[in-house]
Amino acid sequence: MSIKDLAQHLNISIGTVSRALNGRADVNPDTRKRVLAAAKAMGYVANQSGRSLRQGATNVIGFTIETNVETKSQGDTFFMTVFDGVQTVFARHKLDLVVLLCSSDDDPFDHVRRVVSRQFADGLIISATQRQDPRIDYLIERGIPFVTLGRSLSGGEHSWIDMDFEGVAAQSVARLVARGHTRIALANTTRGINLSYVFEDAYRAALADHGIAYDPDIVLRGDITELGGYQLCEKLLALPNRPTAVVLVNESLAIGFYRRLHEAGLTPGRDMAIIGFRQSPQARFLSPALTCYRLSLHDVGVELAQSLLATMPAYKDLYPLGTVQKIWPMELVPGESDPPLRR
Amino acid sequence: MSIKDLAQHLNISIGTVSRALNGRADVNPDTRKRVLAAAKAMGYVANQSGRSLRQGATNVIGFTIETNVETKSQGDTFFMTVFDGVQTVFARHKLDLVVLLCSSDDDPFDHVRRVVSRQFADGLIISATQRQDPRIDYLIERGIPFVTLGRSLSGGEHSWIDMDFEGVAAQSVARLVARGHTRIALANTTRGINLSYVFEDAYRAALADHGIAYDPDIVLRGDITELGGYQLCEKLLALPNRPTAVVLVNESLAIGFYRRLHEAGLTPGRDMAIIGFRQSPQARFLSPALTCYRLSLHDVGVELAQSLLATMPAYKDLYPLGTVQKIWPMELVPGESDPPLRR
DNA sequence: CTGAAAGCGCTAACAA
DNA sequence: TTGTTAGCGCTTTCAG
């Protein structure tokens, strides 16, 4: 079932069929109607490979995520919600969003290189940015339109969107200090991924703002998972001169923290102040309620999509945003997990 | 950068380049070496559209998931782990797994139809099967290789893999009965998706096995989300002649159940026995520990991939499995959430 | 407004 | 062992 069959069936040329289907102006309204009707009746849809080959464009946008790192950490509906936002924009332009999975035993750089060189997609959204990220340099060099979800030191002038790690760190420390805490731990993730640097730097700056000395012993690092939280909490409890509060780089950690505290006969909040990161569905149902920050991931997705289109020649006029480098604001959601310190 | 450029650069014909790259036997070893070296040096990789068009195959396998239904319930760790398993198999055959998202405002049937007619993928894995699922009939009619994650009444002879809802329901009821419970509620999801029927039927059968009358008033239905669990728990607490135990169709519900019970001053387990469904990372860190069931989602992915390949002409000899219809076993993980009933 | 034809990049059949 | 060439399905000139 190709365009040829359809044309034959209608007794017109394939050129006209193509024009009719693609909404060209120079086609007789009646002809167009006939073509559209026949296409529908026969269930004809243009073969993607044929179109792509001819047009030099695939009408596909790839969103790469890593099945190892991100998955286990973000755990919840993080990406799905972002995807949904991205799609609402792309749908308007008949662009298809496909998710390209970089599996646990695949190198992210190789993966992107393969995707690009096969010309699988017209544009790319990549996530889990490293502090130095060769993918970014590569994409710039090859001139592939892309946006990153997350900052990086690499590349300079590309578009990115990132969560407001600085704001969260600063606001969390300020809030805890206001509530009497001075010994505030940080539950961070392993180095490599850029956000760990951003978050820790902001935490240090915030401490300094409040005249609190930085103590590397209470900056802990682990996996961003529920289990990671459990283990970090254990480390924290074992510390001499135990911190009275902790700021988490990710809300998944909170689940493990709560559990470990319970096992130790301690109550989150009362015995250890905790400020989580994002208000996730799981975090919402912790008791006591976790103090955390809200953002619309759907809107992040929308903005990612628009930023990408702004870098694509075929769409940049519709989205004259230039290079987007946006730190996405997050709004405090006060909970019960960080009450004032009892003396 | 096409095969032409590469051939020109090497002063040989494109045919030879193609054969060398594709590992054909009839190529001089030296020539092959030169071609491969040049391809690597120049970063050449065959254009996918060109290949697909010529070969009539895309070497892409699509895995469709719904951003609305599944996402909010399963959270994405569920699928990511499955994907990872699927990929380990496909990688061996240079097949690319891409995830095709059916967004909230898109009809799943239309979505599959679009994917198929554009010839986007050589095979499909579809999930969130409905009790009657037109996608299945359509795929069979069109002769597209596919497997479903989840059963359905539609289609008859296609391959599918599903979780052992019957086993979980039966074992859960038996376990609760053995612990003295006779008034056992079911927290199910809305009708439409097939698993809700399967699970409820098995629950009814299990009750009957133990001589317990079925009471429709204690079969509750809601969204499979943390919030859904919260709301269902509320309904449960408001019931006259309150059940002493509840079996959940999905572990996300447990998060909301725990929270709601706490708010009512009740303790999960002691005041209301709960058996969750899958042992998810979140569920693992509930206190008291949730009684639930374990399965390897990675292995489910592997099996899905193999089952799909078994239906594809080009691979069926390598995977002579025939039609796979497999109920995936789940293993009880006893917790503290369903202690014996106090009299 | 429509038809004819070129050609996107690739592989496979055939010829040499 | 290699070169030549047809043609996959499509869009887009260019003529008419």
Side-chain angles (χ1 to χ4, degrees), chain A residues 45 47-49 52-53 65 67 71 75-77 80 84 87 96 99 101 103-104 117-119 226 259 282 284-287, chain B residues 45 47-49 52-53 65 67 71 76-77 80 84 87 96 99 101 103-104 117-119 226 259 281-282 284-287:
Chain A
V45 178
N47 174 297
Q48 189 56 47
S49 302
S52 302
L53 190 54
I65 63 174
T67 5
T71 282
D76 52 332
T77 53
M80 298 294 173
D84 213 51
Q87 258 183 330
D96 280 314
V99 180
L101 302 158
S103 79
S104 27
S117 47
R118 301 179 89 186
Q119 285 147 272
E226 291 79 5
R259 168 64 177 262
Q282 290 85 348
R284 277 192 64 186
F285 288 93
L286 288 171
S287 341
Chain B
V45 177
N47 175 297
Q48 190 55 48
S49 303
S52 302
L53 190 54
I65 64 175
T67 4
T71 283
D76 27 53
T77 38
M80 297 293 172
D84 213 51
Q87 259 184 328
D96 282 313
V99 180
L101 302 158
S103 77
S104 26
S117 46
R118 302 179 92 184
Q119 285 145 274
E226 291 79 5
R259 168 64 176 262
Q282 291 86 347
R284 277 193 64 185
F285 288 95
L286 288 170
S287 336

Short mmCIF file of all heavy atoms in Angstrom, two decimals, chain A residues 45 47-49 52-53 65 67 71 75-77 80 84 87 96 99 101 103-104 117-119 226 259 282 284-287, chain B residues 45 47-49 52-53 65 67 71 76-77 80 84 87 96 99 101 103-104 117-119 226 259 281-282 284-287:
data_model
loop_
_atom_site.label_atom_id
_atom_site.label_comp_id
_atom_site.label_asym_id
_atom_site.label_seq_id
_atom_site.Cartn_x
_atom_site.Cartn_y
_atom_site.Cartn_z
N VAL A 45 -1.28 5.83 4.88
CA VAL A 45 -0.48 6.86 5.55
C VAL A 45 0.91 6.78 4.93
O VAL A 45 1.42 5.68 4.68
CB VAL A 45 -0.38 6.62 7.06
CG1 VAL A 45 0.49 7.68 7.72
CG2 VAL A 45 -1.75 6.62 7.70
N ASN A 47 4.64 6.44 4.06
CA ASN A 47 5.75 5.72 4.67
C ASN A 47 6.80 6.70 5.16
O ASN A 47 7.25 7.59 4.44
CB ASN A 47 6.35 4.78 3.62
CG ASN A 47 7.60 4.10 4.12
OD1 ASN A 47 8.59 4.75 4.42
ND2 ASN A 47 7.55 2.80 4.23
N GLN A 48 7.17 6.52 6.42
CA GLN A 48 8.05 7.48 7.06
C GLN A 48 9.45 7.49 6.43
O GLN A 48 10.06 8.55 6.27
CB GLN A 48 8.13 7.18 8.56
CG GLN A 48 8.84 8.24 9.36
CD GLN A 48 8.22 9.61 9.19
OE1 GLN A 48 7.01 9.77 9.26
NE2 GLN A 48 9.04 10.62 8.93
N SER A 49 9.94 6.33 6.09
CA SER A 49 11.29 6.26 5.53
C SER A 49 11.37 7.00 4.20
O SER A 49 12.32 7.72 3.93
CB SER A 49 11.72 4.81 5.35
OG SER A 49 11.66 4.12 6.55
N SER A 52 11.26 10.73 4.91
CA SER A 52 12.49 11.18 5.53
C SER A 52 13.61 11.27 4.52
O SER A 52 14.37 12.24 4.48
CB SER A 52 12.91 10.22 6.64
OG SER A 52 11.89 10.09 7.59
N LEU A 53 13.71 10.24 3.71
CA LEU A 53 14.79 10.17 2.74
C LEU A 53 14.71 11.36 1.79
O LEU A 53 15.69 12.04 1.51
CB LEU A 53 14.68 8.87 1.96
CG LEU A 53 15.87 8.54 1.08
CD1 LEU A 53 17.14 8.57 1.90
CD2 LEU A 53 15.68 7.16 0.46
N ILE A 65 17.07 9.19 27.62
CA ILE A 65 17.22 9.06 29.07
C ILE A 65 18.01 7.79 29.35
O ILE A 65 18.08 6.89 28.53
CB ILE A 65 15.87 9.02 29.81
CG1 ILE A 65 15.05 7.81 29.41
CG2 ILE A 65 15.07 10.27 29.52
CD1 ILE A 65 13.80 7.69 30.23
N THR A 67 18.61 4.47 31.33
CA THR A 67 17.85 3.49 32.12
C THR A 67 18.50 3.21 33.46
O THR A 67 17.86 2.72 34.37
CB THR A 67 17.68 2.16 31.35
OG1 THR A 67 18.41 2.22 30.15
CG2 THR A 67 16.23 1.92 31.07
N THR A 71 16.47 6.63 35.98
CA THR A 71 15.41 5.77 36.32
C THR A 71 15.32 5.42 37.77
O THR A 71 14.31 5.57 38.41
CB THR A 71 15.73 4.49 35.60
OG1 THR A 71 15.37 4.77 34.34
CG2 THR A 71 15.00 3.37 36.15
N GLY A 75 12.74 7.72 39.70
CA GLY A 75 11.83 6.72 40.24
C GLY A 75 10.38 6.87 39.86
O GLY A 75 9.78 5.96 39.33
N ASP A 76 9.86 8.00 40.07
CA ASP A 76 8.43 8.17 39.93
C ASP A 76 8.06 8.66 38.56
O ASP A 76 8.64 8.29 37.56
CB ASP A 76 8.01 9.19 40.96
CG ASP A 76 8.88 10.41 40.82
OD1 ASP A 76 10.01 10.23 40.38
OD2 ASP A 76 8.44 11.50 41.10
N THR A 77 7.12 9.49 38.54
CA THR A 77 6.54 9.91 37.27
C THR A 77 7.26 11.12 36.67
O THR A 77 6.72 11.78 35.80
CB THR A 77 5.08 10.27 37.52
OG1 THR A 77 5.06 11.22 38.58
CG2 THR A 77 4.29 9.07 37.93
N MET A 80 7.73 10.97 32.77
CA MET A 80 6.47 10.82 32.05
C MET A 80 5.74 12.16 31.98
O MET A 80 5.14 12.50 30.97
CB MET A 80 5.59 9.80 32.75
CG MET A 80 6.20 8.42 32.77
SD MET A 80 6.36 7.69 31.12
CE MET A 80 7.28 6.23 31.53
N ASP A 84 4.90 14.33 28.61
CA ASP A 84 3.55 14.76 28.26
C ASP A 84 3.54 16.23 27.85
O ASP A 84 2.89 16.60 26.88
CB ASP A 84 2.61 14.51 29.45
CG ASP A 84 1.22 14.15 29.00
OD1 ASP A 84 1.09 13.24 28.17
OD2 ASP A 84 0.26 14.80 29.47
N GLN A 87 5.20 16.64 24.43
CA GLN A 87 4.34 16.18 23.35
C GLN A 87 3.25 17.16 22.97
O GLN A 87 2.90 17.27 21.80
CB GLN A 87 3.69 14.85 23.74
CG GLN A 87 4.37 13.68 23.08
CD GLN A 87 3.68 12.39 23.42
OE1 GLN A 87 3.10 12.25 24.48
NE2 GLN A 87 3.74 11.46 22.51
N ASP A 96 6.97 13.75 16.00
CA ASP A 96 6.79 12.63 16.92
C ASP A 96 7.88 12.61 17.96
O ASP A 96 9.07 12.71 17.63
CB ASP A 96 6.84 11.31 16.15
CG ASP A 96 5.54 11.02 15.47
OD1 ASP A 96 4.50 11.18 16.12
OD2 ASP A 96 5.56 10.66 14.28
N VAL A 99 11.22 8.19 22.75
CA VAL A 99 12.16 8.13 23.85
C VAL A 99 13.24 7.13 23.51
O VAL A 99 12.95 5.99 23.15
CB VAL A 99 11.45 7.71 25.14
CG1 VAL A 99 12.43 7.65 26.29
CG2 VAL A 99 10.33 8.67 25.45
N LEU A 101 16.32 5.06 24.77
CA LEU A 101 16.84 4.61 26.05
C LEU A 101 18.30 4.26 25.93
O LEU A 101 18.70 3.46 25.09
CB LEU A 101 16.06 3.37 26.48
CG LEU A 101 14.57 3.62 26.61
CD1 LEU A 101 13.82 2.31 26.50
CD2 LEU A 101 14.28 4.32 27.91
N SER A 103 20.81 2.20 27.64
CA SER A 103 20.72 1.15 28.65
C SER A 103 21.93 1.14 29.57
O SER A 103 22.92 1.81 29.32
CB SER A 103 20.58 -0.21 27.98
OG SER A 103 21.83 -0.65 27.53
N SER A 104 21.80 0.37 30.60
CA SER A 104 22.81 0.39 31.66
C SER A 104 24.20 0.01 31.14
O SER A 104 25.21 0.49 31.64
CB SER A 104 22.40 -0.54 32.80
OG SER A 104 21.57 -1.57 32.33
N SER A 117 24.30 9.85 14.06
CA SER A 117 24.87 9.51 12.76
C SER A 117 23.91 8.70 11.91
O SER A 117 23.96 8.74 10.69
CB SER A 117 26.22 8.81 12.93
OG SER A 117 26.12 7.81 13.90
N ARG A 118 23.00 8.00 12.55
CA ARG A 118 21.99 7.30 11.76
C ARG A 118 20.90 8.25 11.32
O ARG A 118 19.98 7.85 10.62
CB ARG A 118 21.35 6.19 12.59
CG ARG A 118 22.33 5.17 13.10
CD ARG A 118 21.61 4.14 13.92
NE ARG A 118 21.16 3.05 13.09
CZ ARG A 118 20.40 2.05 13.52
NH1 ARG A 118 19.99 2.04 14.76
NH2 ARG A 118 20.06 1.09 12.72
N GLN A 119 20.99 9.46 11.76
CA GLN A 119 19.96 10.46 11.44
C GLN A 119 18.58 9.97 11.81
O GLN A 119 17.66 9.95 10.99
CB GLN A 119 20.03 10.82 9.95
CG GLN A 119 21.20 11.70 9.65
CD GLN A 119 21.75 11.43 8.28
OE1 GLN A 119 22.61 10.56 8.11
NE2 GLN A 119 21.27 12.15 7.30
N GLU A 226 15.60 5.24 47.11
CA GLU A 226 15.06 5.06 48.45
C GLU A 226 16.12 4.38 49.33
O GLU A 226 16.37 4.80 50.46
CB GLU A 226 13.80 4.19 48.40
CG GLU A 226 12.60 4.87 47.74
CD GLU A 226 12.67 4.85 46.22
OE1 GLU A 226 13.59 4.22 45.65
OE2 GLU A 226 11.80 5.47 45.59
N ARG A 259 12.20 5.85 56.84
CA ARG A 259 12.22 4.47 57.30
C ARG A 259 13.34 4.22 58.30
O ARG A 259 13.16 3.62 59.36
CB ARG A 259 12.37 3.54 56.09
CG ARG A 259 12.68 2.10 56.40
CD ARG A 259 11.53 1.43 57.16
NE ARG A 259 11.84 0.03 57.38
CZ ARG A 259 11.37 -0.94 56.58
NH1 ARG A 259 10.55 -0.66 55.60
NH2 ARG A 259 11.71 -2.20 56.81
N GLN A 282 4.90 10.40 45.76
CA GLN A 282 5.24 9.60 46.94
C GLN A 282 5.52 10.49 48.14
O GLN A 282 5.05 10.23 49.24
CB GLN A 282 6.49 8.75 46.70
CG GLN A 282 6.31 7.60 45.73
CD GLN A 282 6.49 8.06 44.31
OE1 GLN A 282 6.53 9.24 44.04
NE2 GLN A 282 6.60 7.12 43.39
N ARG A 284 4.45 13.28 48.80
CA ARG A 284 3.24 13.92 49.31
C ARG A 284 2.57 13.11 50.40
O ARG A 284 1.80 13.64 51.20
CB ARG A 284 2.24 14.09 48.17
CG ARG A 284 2.48 15.31 47.34
CD ARG A 284 1.30 15.59 46.45
NE ARG A 284 0.09 15.91 47.20
CZ ARG A 284 -1.09 16.08 46.63
NH1 ARG A 284 -1.22 15.94 45.32
NH2 ARG A 284 -2.15 16.38 47.36
N PHE A 285 2.81 11.82 50.38
CA PHE A 285 2.08 10.97 51.33
C PHE A 285 2.91 10.48 52.49
O PHE A 285 2.54 9.55 53.18
CB PHE A 285 1.41 9.82 50.58
CG PHE A 285 0.25 10.31 49.78
CD1 PHE A 285 0.40 10.67 48.45
CD2 PHE A 285 -0.98 10.49 50.38
CE1 PHE A 285 -0.67 11.16 47.73
CE2 PHE A 285 -2.05 10.98 49.67
CZ PHE A 285 -1.90 11.32 48.34
N LEU A 286 4.05 11.10 52.67
CA LEU A 286 4.83 10.78 53.85
C LEU A 286 4.17 11.40 55.07
O LEU A 286 3.56 12.46 54.98
CB LEU A 286 6.26 11.32 53.69
CG LEU A 286 7.15 10.59 52.69
CD1 LEU A 286 8.44 11.37 52.47
CD2 LEU A 286 7.46 9.18 53.19
N SER A 287 4.31 10.73 56.21
CA SER A 287 3.90 11.37 57.45
C SER A 287 5.12 11.34 58.37
O SER A 287 5.69 10.28 58.54
CB SER A 287 2.76 10.64 58.17
OG SER A 287 2.06 9.80 57.32
N VAL B 45 28.03 6.53 9.48
CA VAL B 45 27.09 5.48 9.84
C VAL B 45 25.95 5.57 8.83
O VAL B 45 25.53 6.67 8.45
CB VAL B 45 26.53 5.68 11.26
CG1 VAL B 45 25.50 4.62 11.58
CG2 VAL B 45 27.64 5.66 12.29
N ASN B 47 22.66 5.91 6.87
CA ASN B 47 21.40 6.61 7.11
C ASN B 47 20.25 5.60 7.24
O ASN B 47 20.06 4.74 6.39
CB ASN B 47 21.15 7.56 5.94
CG ASN B 47 19.80 8.24 6.03
OD1 ASN B 47 18.77 7.58 6.00
ND2 ASN B 47 19.82 9.53 6.18
N GLN B 48 19.54 5.76 8.32
CA GLN B 48 18.51 4.79 8.64
C GLN B 48 17.37 4.79 7.62
O GLN B 48 16.84 3.74 7.26
CB GLN B 48 17.99 5.04 10.04
CG GLN B 48 17.08 3.97 10.59
CD GLN B 48 17.74 2.60 10.56
OE1 GLN B 48 18.89 2.44 10.97
NE2 GLN B 48 17.03 1.59 10.06
N SER B 49 16.98 5.96 7.17
CA SER B 49 15.87 6.04 6.23
C SER B 49 16.21 5.32 4.93
O SER B 49 15.39 4.61 4.36
CB SER B 49 15.52 7.50 5.93
OG SER B 49 15.22 8.18 7.11
N SER B 52 16.10 1.58 5.59
CA SER B 52 14.73 1.10 5.82
C SER B 52 13.97 1.04 4.51
O SER B 52 13.27 0.07 4.22
CB SER B 52 14.00 2.05 6.77
OG SER B 52 14.69 2.15 7.99
N LEU B 53 14.13 2.09 3.73
CA LEU B 53 13.38 2.17 2.49
C LEU B 53 13.75 0.99 1.59
O LEU B 53 12.90 0.32 1.02
CB LEU B 53 13.72 3.48 1.79
CG LEU B 53 12.84 3.82 0.61
CD1 LEU B 53 11.38 3.79 1.03
CD2 LEU B 53 13.19 5.19 0.09
N ILE B 65 3.60 3.05 25.47
CA ILE B 65 3.01 3.18 26.80
C ILE B 65 2.17 4.44 26.85
O ILE B 65 2.36 5.35 26.04
CB ILE B 65 4.06 3.21 27.93
CG1 ILE B 65 4.95 4.44 27.81
CG2 ILE B 65 4.92 1.97 27.89
CD1 ILE B 65 5.91 4.56 28.96
N THR B 67 1.00 7.77 28.54
CA THR B 67 1.49 8.74 29.53
C THR B 67 0.46 9.03 30.61
O THR B 67 0.80 9.51 31.67
CB THR B 67 1.88 10.07 28.86
OG1 THR B 67 1.57 10.01 27.50
CG2 THR B 67 3.35 10.32 29.02
N THR B 71 1.66 5.57 33.61
CA THR B 71 2.59 6.42 34.23
C THR B 71 2.27 6.81 35.63
O THR B 71 3.06 6.67 36.54
CB THR B 71 2.50 7.69 33.43
OG1 THR B 71 3.20 7.39 32.33
CG2 THR B 71 2.99 8.83 34.15
N ASP B 76 7.63 5.43 36.77
CA ASP B 76 8.36 4.87 35.66
C ASP B 76 9.42 3.87 35.99
O ASP B 76 9.96 3.26 35.09
CB ASP B 76 8.87 5.88 34.65
CG ASP B 76 9.11 7.23 35.18
OD1 ASP B 76 9.81 7.37 36.15
OD2 ASP B 76 8.58 8.13 34.62
N THR B 77 9.70 3.61 37.20
CA THR B 77 10.69 2.56 37.43
C THR B 77 10.20 1.23 36.90
O THR B 77 10.98 0.40 36.48
CB THR B 77 11.02 2.37 38.91
OG1 THR B 77 9.84 2.54 39.64
CG2 THR B 77 12.05 3.37 39.36
N MET B 80 10.93 1.28 33.13
CA MET B 80 12.36 1.41 32.84
C MET B 80 13.07 0.07 33.04
O MET B 80 13.94 -0.30 32.27
CB MET B 80 13.00 2.44 33.77
CG MET B 80 12.44 3.81 33.58
SD MET B 80 12.85 4.53 31.97
CE MET B 80 11.84 6.00 32.04
N ASP B 84 14.89 -2.10 30.14
CA ASP B 84 16.28 -2.52 30.24
C ASP B 84 16.42 -4.00 29.85
O ASP B 84 17.34 -4.37 29.12
CB ASP B 84 16.80 -2.28 31.66
CG ASP B 84 18.27 -1.92 31.67
OD1 ASP B 84 18.65 -1.00 30.92
OD2 ASP B 84 19.03 -2.58 32.41
N GLN B 87 15.88 -4.41 26.09
CA GLN B 87 17.04 -3.95 25.32
C GLN B 87 18.20 -4.94 25.30
O GLN B 87 18.90 -5.05 24.30
CB GLN B 87 17.53 -2.62 25.89
CG GLN B 87 17.07 -1.45 25.06
CD GLN B 87 17.65 -0.16 25.56
OE1 GLN B 87 17.88 -0.01 26.76
NE2 GLN B 87 17.87 0.75 24.66
N ASP B 96 16.79 -1.49 17.52
CA ASP B 96 16.67 -0.37 18.46
C ASP B 96 15.32 -0.36 19.12
O ASP B 96 14.29 -0.45 18.44
CB ASP B 96 16.86 0.96 17.72
CG ASP B 96 18.32 1.23 17.46
OD1 ASP B 96 19.11 1.06 18.40
OD2 ASP B 96 18.66 1.58 16.32
N VAL B 99 10.67 4.05 22.64
CA VAL B 99 9.43 4.11 23.40
C VAL B 99 8.51 5.11 22.74
O VAL B 99 8.90 6.25 22.48
CB VAL B 99 9.70 4.53 24.85
CG1 VAL B 99 8.40 4.59 25.63
CG2 VAL B 99 10.66 3.55 25.49
N LEU B 101 5.19 7.17 23.01
CA LEU B 101 4.30 7.62 24.07
C LEU B 101 2.95 7.98 23.51
O LEU B 101 2.85 8.78 22.58
CB LEU B 101 4.91 8.85 24.73
CG LEU B 101 6.29 8.61 25.30
CD1 LEU B 101 7.03 9.92 25.45
CD2 LEU B 101 6.17 7.89 26.63
N SER B 103 0.03 10.03 24.37
CA SER B 103 -0.19 11.08 25.35
C SER B 103 -1.62 11.08 25.85
O SER B 103 -2.49 10.42 25.30
CB SER B 103 0.15 12.45 24.78
OG SER B 103 -0.89 12.86 23.94
N SER B 104 -1.83 11.85 26.88
CA SER B 104 -3.12 11.82 27.57
C SER B 104 -4.27 12.20 26.63
O SER B 104 -5.37 11.72 26.80
CB SER B 104 -3.09 12.75 28.78
OG SER B 104 -2.14 13.77 28.62
N SER B 117 0.89 2.38 10.35
CA SER B 117 0.74 2.72 8.94
C SER B 117 1.92 3.55 8.44
O SER B 117 2.25 3.50 7.26
CB SER B 117 -0.59 3.43 8.68
OG SER B 117 -0.81 4.42 9.65
N ARG B 118 2.56 4.24 9.31
CA ARG B 118 3.77 4.96 8.88
C ARG B 118 4.96 4.01 8.79
O ARG B 118 6.04 4.42 8.44
CB ARG B 118 4.12 6.06 9.87
CG ARG B 118 3.02 7.05 10.07
CD ARG B 118 3.45 8.07 11.07
NE ARG B 118 4.07 9.20 10.41
CZ ARG B 118 4.61 10.22 11.04
NH1 ARG B 118 4.66 10.23 12.36
NH2 ARG B 118 5.13 11.22 10.39
N GLN B 119 4.74 2.79 9.17
CA GLN B 119 5.82 1.81 9.18
C GLN B 119 7.01 2.30 9.97
O GLN B 119 8.13 2.34 9.49
CB GLN B 119 6.22 1.45 7.75
CG GLN B 119 5.20 0.56 7.09
CD GLN B 119 5.07 0.85 5.62
OE1 GLN B 119 4.31 1.73 5.21
NE2 GLN B 119 5.83 0.14 4.83
N GLU B 226 -1.00 7.05 44.48
CA GLU B 226 -0.90 7.23 45.92
C GLU B 226 -2.18 7.91 46.43
O GLU B 226 -2.76 7.50 47.43
CB GLU B 226 0.31 8.10 46.27
CG GLU B 226 1.66 7.42 46.01
CD GLU B 226 2.06 7.45 44.54
OE1 GLU B 226 1.35 8.07 43.72
OE2 GLU B 226 3.08 6.82 44.19
N ARG B 259 -0.75 6.48 54.80
CA ARG B 259 -0.91 7.86 55.22
C ARG B 259 -2.29 8.10 55.84
O ARG B 259 -2.42 8.70 56.90
CB ARG B 259 -0.69 8.78 54.02
CG ARG B 259 -1.09 10.22 54.22
CD ARG B 259 -0.22 10.89 55.31
NE ARG B 259 -0.57 12.29 55.42
CZ ARG B 259 0.11 13.27 54.82
NH1 ARG B 259 1.20 12.97 54.14
NH2 ARG B 259 -0.27 14.52 54.94
N PRO B 281 10.37 -0.27 44.87
CA PRO B 281 11.35 0.41 45.72
C PRO B 281 10.67 1.23 46.81
O PRO B 281 11.13 1.22 47.97
CB PRO B 281 12.09 1.32 44.75
CG PRO B 281 11.92 0.69 43.41
CD PRO B 281 10.59 0.01 43.45
N GLN B 282 9.60 1.91 46.45
CA GLN B 282 8.91 2.72 47.46
C GLN B 282 8.29 1.83 48.53
O GLN B 282 8.40 2.10 49.72
CB GLN B 282 7.79 3.56 46.84
CG GLN B 282 8.26 4.68 45.95
CD GLN B 282 8.50 4.20 44.53
OE1 GLN B 282 8.52 3.00 44.29
NE2 GLN B 282 8.66 5.12 43.61
N ARG B 284 9.10 -0.96 49.52
CA ARG B 284 10.10 -1.60 50.38
C ARG B 284 10.40 -0.79 51.61
O ARG B 284 10.90 -1.31 52.60
CB ARG B 284 11.41 -1.78 49.60
CG ARG B 284 11.45 -2.99 48.73
CD ARG B 284 12.84 -3.26 48.25
NE ARG B 284 13.75 -3.58 49.33
CZ ARG B 284 15.05 -3.77 49.17
NH1 ARG B 284 15.58 -3.67 47.97
NH2 ARG B 284 15.83 -4.05 50.19
N PHE B 285 10.17 0.51 51.53
CA PHE B 285 10.58 1.35 52.65
C PHE B 285 9.43 1.85 53.49
O PHE B 285 9.58 2.78 54.26
CB PHE B 285 11.46 2.50 52.14
CG PHE B 285 12.81 1.99 51.74
CD1 PHE B 285 13.08 1.65 50.43
CD2 PHE B 285 13.78 1.78 52.70
CE1 PHE B 285 14.31 1.13 50.08
CE2 PHE B 285 15.01 1.25 52.35
CZ PHE B 285 15.29 0.94 51.04
N LEU B 286 8.32 1.22 53.33
CA LEU B 286 7.21 1.54 54.21
C LEU B 286 7.45 0.92 55.58
O LEU B 286 8.06 -0.14 55.68
CB LEU B 286 5.90 0.99 53.63
CG LEU B 286 5.34 1.71 52.40
CD1 LEU B 286 4.19 0.92 51.81
CD2 LEU B 286 4.89 3.12 52.78
N SER B 287 6.98 1.60 56.62
CA SER B 287 6.98 0.96 57.93
C SER B 287 5.55 0.98 58.44
O SER B 287 4.94 2.04 58.44
CB SER B 287 7.84 1.70 58.96
OG SER B 287 8.82 2.46 58.36
#
